[in-house]
Amino acid sequence: MLELAAIALVKVVILSFGLLTAAAYLVLLERRVAAWVQDRRGPNRVGIPLTSIRLFGLGQPLADGLKFIFKEEFTPSHVDRWMYTLAPISILATALAVFAVIPFGDVLTLGGERTIELVVAPGFDAGAIYVFALSSLAVYGVILGGWASNNKYSLLGGLRSSAQLIAYELPLSLGLLGVVVVTGTLRLDEVIRTQANEGIWFAFAQPLGLIVFVIASFAEAARLPFDLPEAEQELVGGYHTEYSGIRLLMYLVAEFMHMITASFLIVILFLGGWHFWGLTDAAAWGIEGEAVPLWLGVVRIVVLMAKVFVVILFFMLTRWTWPRFRFDQLMNLAWKVMLPLGIANVVMMAVVAEFEVPLTDRLGRGGVIGLTWVGTLLTLIVAALLVPLHSDNRRRSIEPDLFGTS
Amino acid sequence: MNAMQWTFVVATISGALALWMLLPRKRFRGRRLGSLLGLVSLGLFASQVPLPGGPAERTVFIVLAGVTLAAAVCTVTFRSPVYCAVWFGLTLLGVSGLFLFQGAQFLSVATVTVYAGAIVVMFLFVLMLSDPRGRTYYDRLSWEAMLSASAGAVMIGVLSMTLHRVFVPEAAPPAADANNVAVADASGASANAEATNVPALPEPPTSESLQANILAPEHVARLGGALFSRYLVTVEAAGVLLLVALVGATSIMAHARFEQLRRSRHGNG
Amino acid sequence: MDELALLHGYQTVGAMLVGIGIVGFLARRNMIVMFLSLEMMLQGISVTLVSWSRFHNDWGGQVLTVFIITVAACEAAIALALVLMLFRRAGGLDVLFWQQLRESNVEPFIEHELPEPPAEPADRWPHLPPAGIEPQTEEEWHRSHV
């Protein structure tokens, strides 16, 4: 048992350092991507410190981190001191703790017989729900931060953003549920293995689930087009108006962690995880048997990381391309559009999972997938016909005519 | 009355005193003494429980249970309701850890998701909308503090004593005390006459049978299997209950909104 | 013996949670805190149920805990809607505003003395580093609170 603890500790240490470094460098990447979208250069001057070597601006996160640490850190006199300190701690802790069940690859075979699973907590049977549990805990950081700041704008911003986070938890869970119904397990590494064994990714088999999950992930990570909580033009800064220094850094790092978590989940659940046809199959390289050699394990890790990187680039491109939703449009989208679409997805997947054998006998596997695409198109057409356009700003009558006066 | 019963009496009394001192009162002093007495009481109760397993498991259990109970006491004794809600969140995290320690993985994450992630957030919303600061006079007063603290402490004492008598049967007082007049104290000495009627516990399960059923690796699959085969009617009833609750909560707020609109209409029109 | 000791420990924790919940429900006057104590009692019972489920090697305890979570969610939703309605009527969250619902043979509870008002933090200036200059004002700084 001590060995298990030691292995887990090593994984935790590697993961923590890797994630925090990744968050720092993703900020740099975001600024470069933003600059590229806006047809300018990003930060490319800060290279190796104390020299004039410009290493494509790779020293920028170091400079930013040092700036934050050396900034004057004060606690305003009118805040609720305990909650003011607790809120960013709780949101960062939960954002980091989510990675305990996310697999980073398949297995690493050391020395021929010892296999190390690349999950911090292997065998945890309720893996996917654990992710959602900790995402629900992140709402505390937002509410308490907004309340503790003793500032009307912060309170409103905190309530608004927590309402957004809670509202989009449901479509997120429904998107996940579509995958879970088909695979029959909540463990994320098993989901990847199912996609690898079937040879088809769930993005192609469940397009509606992908749409719902991706949009809900954008909202859960509070990224544009759903980033009303942190829009400076709206609420001065929302729930982190009164924060400065390291506490603000915690909020921002936690937001990037949420984005990384969302990317990992999209890749694992819908984009096949570490699987890529021809590249990661053991059979394609002529390897017999169950044992995965070490280099193949490394190839799988690299494929997973590359996919996550592509999804993160997609997140960043979206941020600098689209305008943001208004709050009522946002909530409308969650409750009136995403939730019915998610339910339709679950129903479709339940039908497919239940009648899998007769359907596959009659239509073949491609036919079943075509059926889900047809179902997706029909659902989207029905939703588009029933939900009015978001740009439709005509006055809608909300008061029913029950009072006799017209 | 032997040492074991005296331990329970002392633990109960100190627990009652601790809770009374920690509850919000008009003249609110003695918080440190109250916390100290609370820890003493907790320690005395815990000393009567033989803890399972090796040192690692014992430490984990003590930490989890200690955090849960300390957070529970803080929930009921803090004066600002937002703090109470946050302490309750910590209690839920402790309870979730206790579930995980038992091997109930799905329940631990379900508790955090539903309770700590949705219900307590709803409580916080209602608090923000109604009374955010928590500095009202009714937050700083309790209602019959001494009686409630004694009631709770006596109940905990009686339950712990009963549990001890059931689980550690060789520590029961000898039956020769049946002729003594019952001493008027809180630890239920009237059970002296029935010291020999404690029912025997069923056989504890073996490790293999546990691994085959409750602690099996495919935990969620088995729980779902039990839910949807043996308890299917209850699941459907719970679904109907959720629907009714949804409709009820919406109708309460909608009714209030109609009232508001009607009042504004007839006021202006 | 291990299983018995585990069961004993968990039963004790569950009993304590229920007891503390009872204290909170009986003693506190804020409706929200009363509901929190109610939920705490339910948690104590859940802990007991899960430990019995493991002891009997049967899923019934965990299934009942799932239903307790469901019922608690429904109850919390309706209860909070009601609490909001009551707050709008009475202007406060005190449960003693609704004393008229008591039984006919119980005396009304009359507030004799109010507690001492909470001490406002009067002079908590932001902490400046040593290089900063302390502000030179004498008048009181009154800051309105949300």
Side-chain angles (χ1 to χ4, degrees):
Chain A
M1 203 186 72
L2 209 58
E3 187 182 309
L4 277 176
I7 293 179
L9 194 64
V10 166
K11 287 188 214 171
V12 163
V13 165
I14 295 178
L15 203 60
S16 314
F17 280 123
L19 279 174
L20 291 172
T21 316
Y25 276 92
L26 279 177
V27 176
L28 176 65
L29 180 70
E30 164 123 38
R31 291 171 73 174
R32 293 297 288 256
V33 165
W36 174 67
V37 166
Q38 294 168 353
D39 205 18
R40 58 179 171 92
R41 311 266 187 171
N44 61 351
R45 295 187 186 221
V46 183
I48 302 175
L50 299 180
T51 63
S52 62
I53 301 177
R54 289 194 201 176
L55 210 59
F56 299 108
L58 283 178
Q60 185 76 31
L62 185 66
D64 279 337
L66 281 178
K67 178 193 80 170
F68 262 116
I69 293 175
F70 284 126
K71 249 192 178 162
E72 174 186 2
E73 159 125 6
F74 67 91
T75 312
S77 65
H78 53 84
V79 301
D80 189 321
R81 264 181 307 174
W82 291 106
M83 293 296 148
Y84 184 79
T85 316
L86 179 68
I89 293 177
S90 74
I91 200 172
L92 185 61
T94 56
L96 280 175
V98 171
F99 286 93
V101 292
I102 292 186
F104 283 84
D106 195 12
V107 290
L108 281 181
T109 324
L110 296 181
E113 67 269 351
R114 160 103 61 88
T115 58
I116 300 182
E117 302 207 27
L118 284 166
V119 191
V120 173
F124 187 65
D125 210 38
I129 308 187
Y130 172 84
V131 171
F132 292 133
L134 288 179
S135 307
S136 320
L137 284 182
V139 178
Y140 275 93
V142 170
I143 285 190
L144 292 175
W147 175 76
S149 303
N150 205 1
N151 178 350
K152 287 185 182 63
Y153 293 110
S154 295
L155 183 65
L156 277 178
L159 284 178
R160 266 200 201 177
S161 52
S162 55
Q164 170 191 325
L165 291 175
I166 294 176
Y168 278 95
E169 272 173 27
L170 274 168
L172 200 71
S173 312
L174 287 172
L176 168 78
L177 203 57
V179 170
V180 166
V181 158
V182 173
T183 54
T185 174
L186 282 170
R187 297 174 52 179
L188 293 172
D189 43 356
E190 294 291 326
V191 168
I192 302 181
R193 273 197 205 106
T194 312
Q195 293 180 73
N197 293 340
E198 296 285 323
I200 186 151
W201 294 350
F202 286 128
F204 305 124
Q206 306 184 14
L208 191 57
L210 178 71
I211 292 172
V212 167
F213 194 83
V214 166
I215 296 181
S217 301
F218 270 94
E220 279 290 316
R223 297 283 297 185
L224 258 154
F226 299 102
D227 81 335
L228 204 64
E230 60 174 37
E232 286 92 19
Q233 299 92 343
E234 301 287 329
L235 287 167
V236 191
Y239 56 91
H240 54 72
T241 312
E242 302 276 347
Y243 282 89
S244 66
I246 295 213
R247 296 197 183 104
L248 184 63
L249 187 65
M250 281 188 187
Y251 267 120
L252 300 177
V253 168
E255 185 204 317
F256 269 91
M257 290 293 165
H258 284 146
M259 186 178 73
I260 301 178
T261 309
S263 313
F264 262 102
L265 279 178
I266 291 175
V267 165
I268 288 173
L269 290 171
F270 289 97
L271 292 179
W274 45 253
H275 171 258
F276 199 83
W277 309 277
L279 204 62
T280 59
D281 294 334
W285 296 98
I287 301 170
E288 309 289 332
E290 289 289 320
V292 173
L294 183 65
W295 61 270
L296 194 60
V298 172
V299 164
R300 288 178 175 176
I301 298 178
V302 167
V303 165
L304 181 71
M305 294 299 174
K307 285 190 201 173
V308 169
F309 186 71
V310 167
V311 175
I312 290 181
L313 274 181
F314 174 66
F315 265 80
M316 291 180 176
L317 275 177
T318 319
R319 177 179 184 171
W320 297 103
T321 315
W322 286 349
R324 65 171 62 96
F325 278 107
R326 215 171 54 216
F327 189 65
D328 59 324
Q329 292 171 340
L330 207 153
M331 299 303 271
N332 195 24
L333 192 70
W335 292 107
K336 294 191 189 168
V337 178
M338 286 294 126
L339 192 61
L341 285 181
I343 294 179
N345 178 46
V346 169
V347 167
M348 262 198 307
M349 286 307 127
V351 164
V352 164
E354 177 69 22
F355 299 109
E356 188 176 347
V357 173
L359 277 177
T360 323
D361 283 341
R362 287 200 198 187
L363 302 172
R365 218 172 57 182
V368 173
I369 292 174
L371 204 64
T372 59
W373 275 84
V374 166
T376 305
L377 281 171
L378 281 176
T379 317
L380 286 174
I381 290 174
V382 166
L385 287 175
L386 287 178
V387 175
L389 280 176
H390 285 297
S391 53
D392 183 356
N393 279 325
R394 285 174 303 176
R395 189 182 178 81
R396 293 194 189 94
S397 61
I398 48 172
E399 294 134 13
D401 198 19
L402 295 179
F403 305 127
T405 64
S406 61
Chain B
M1 294 264 284
N2 55 5
M4 181 264 298
Q5 289 176 312
W6 272 116
T7 320
F8 277 112
V9 168
V10 169
T12 309
I13 294 179
S14 61
L17 271 176
L19 280 170
W20 174 69
M21 290 173 110
L22 287 172
L23 278 173
R25 287 168 292 139
K26 196 166 63 68
R27 248 180 270 111
F28 193 44
R29 285 172 247 288
R31 235 184 313 181
R32 281 198 202 139
L33 182 58
S35 330
L36 193 64
L37 273 178
L39 283 174
V40 161
S41 161
L42 204 60
L44 284 175
F45 274 122
S47 68
Q48 297 298 317
V49 176
L51 289 173
E57 295 167 14
R58 233 174 263 177
T59 317
V60 170
F61 179 72
I62 286 180
V63 165
L64 282 172
V67 162
T68 309
L69 291 171
V73 169
C74 292
T75 307
V76 303
T77 54
F78 263 65
R79 286 176 285 172
S80 163
V82 173
Y83 277 81
C84 295
V86 173
W87 279 115
F88 186 61
L90 185 62
T91 314
L92 287 169
L93 285 180
V95 166
S96 163
L98 284 172
F99 285 163
L100 201 58
F101 191 65
Q102 280 269 333
Q105 307 166 12
F106 180 77
L107 268 178
S108 68
V109 287
T111 307
V112 172
T113 310
V114 174
Y115 256 110
I119 295 182
V120 180
V121 169
M122 241 189 342
F123 273 106
L124 279 173
F125 262 93
V126 170
L127 273 173
M128 306 286 169
L129 290 175
S130 55
D131 181 22
R133 288 205 65 218
R135 299 225 162 191
T136 52
Y137 67 94
Y138 50 82
D139 280 323
R140 317 184 85 74
L141 290 173
S142 321
W143 194 2
E144 305 284 357
M146 188 67 228
L147 279 181
S148 354
S150 321
V154 162
M155 198 186 117
I156 294 177
V158 167
L159 281 174
S160 303
M161 178 109 180
T162 315
L163 283 171
H164 192 263
R165 188 164 293 211
V166 168
F167 283 96
V168 190
E170 54 266 13
D177 279 343
N179 292 334
N180 282 353
V181 174
V183 183
D185 68 341
S187 48
S190 58
N192 265 346
E194 296 153 274
T196 52
N197 288 358
V198 174
L201 278 174
E203 276 299 311
T206 59
S207 178
E208 294 82 28
S209 65
L210 276 182
Q211 288 290 335
N213 196 13
I214 286 280
L215 295 180
E218 60 276 358
H219 172 86
V220 178
R222 284 183 184 260
L223 179 61
L227 265 178
F228 281 93
S229 59
R230 213 172 135 188
Y231 301 98
L232 178 62
V233 177
T234 325
V235 168
E236 303 295 333
V240 172
L241 176 67
L242 279 167
L243 179 67
V244 168
L246 183 66
V247 170
T250 318
S251 74
I252 291 178
M253 299 311 278
H255 182 71
R257 206 172 151 184
F258 283 163
E259 289 287 327
Q260 207 175 11
L261 278 172
R262 183 187 301 158
R263 246 181 266 129
S264 68
R265 273 269 183 95
H266 287 190
N268 298 341
Chain C
M1 196 52 218
D2 235 7
E3 294 294 327
L4 272 179
L6 197 67
L7 184 65
H8 188 186
Y10 269 74
Q11 299 275 346
T12 314
V13 170
M16 287 188 182
L17 277 174
V18 171
I20 296 174
I22 285 184
V23 171
F25 191 75
L26 292 175
R28 298 298 299 257
R29 282 168 59 172
N30 190 330
M31 281 195 264
I32 301 275
V33 181
M34 283 169 71
F35 276 115
L36 282 176
S37 327
L38 204 62
E39 301 289 340
M40 190 182 310
M41 284 196 257
L42 284 176
Q43 284 300 300
I45 296 175
S46 307
V47 167
T48 310
L49 274 173
V50 166
S51 64
W52 277 117
S53 160
R54 176 176 168 136
F55 186 74
H56 285 299
N57 205 5
D58 185 63
W59 290 102
Q62 296 194 21
V63 164
L64 191 53
T65 311
V66 169
F67 292 134
I68 285 181
I69 292 179
T70 310
V71 167
C74 302
E75 161 212 344
I78 305 251
L80 289 174
L82 282 174
V83 163
L84 262 182
M85 290 297 109
L86 293 175
F87 172 77
R88 281 192 196 165
R89 289 270 187 128
L93 282 172
D94 193 355
V95 74
L96 284 177
F97 285 146
W98 302 96
Q99 299 197 53
Q100 66 225 36
L101 298 172
R102 70 185 185 280
E103 292 166 350
S104 44
N105 57 351
V106 173
E107 295 292 321
F109 181 84
I110 303 175
E111 200 87 64
H112 288 293
E113 283 173 46
L114 290 177
E116 31 195 62
E120 296 282 352
D123 285 335
R124 266 177 45 206
W125 293 101
H127 169 74
L128 292 168
I133 306 173
E134 293 222 0
Q136 302 268 342
T137 56
E138 271 97 16
E139 65 265 8
E140 280 205 356
W141 176 278
H142 178 67
R143 176 76 198 233
S144 66
H145 288 273
V146 173

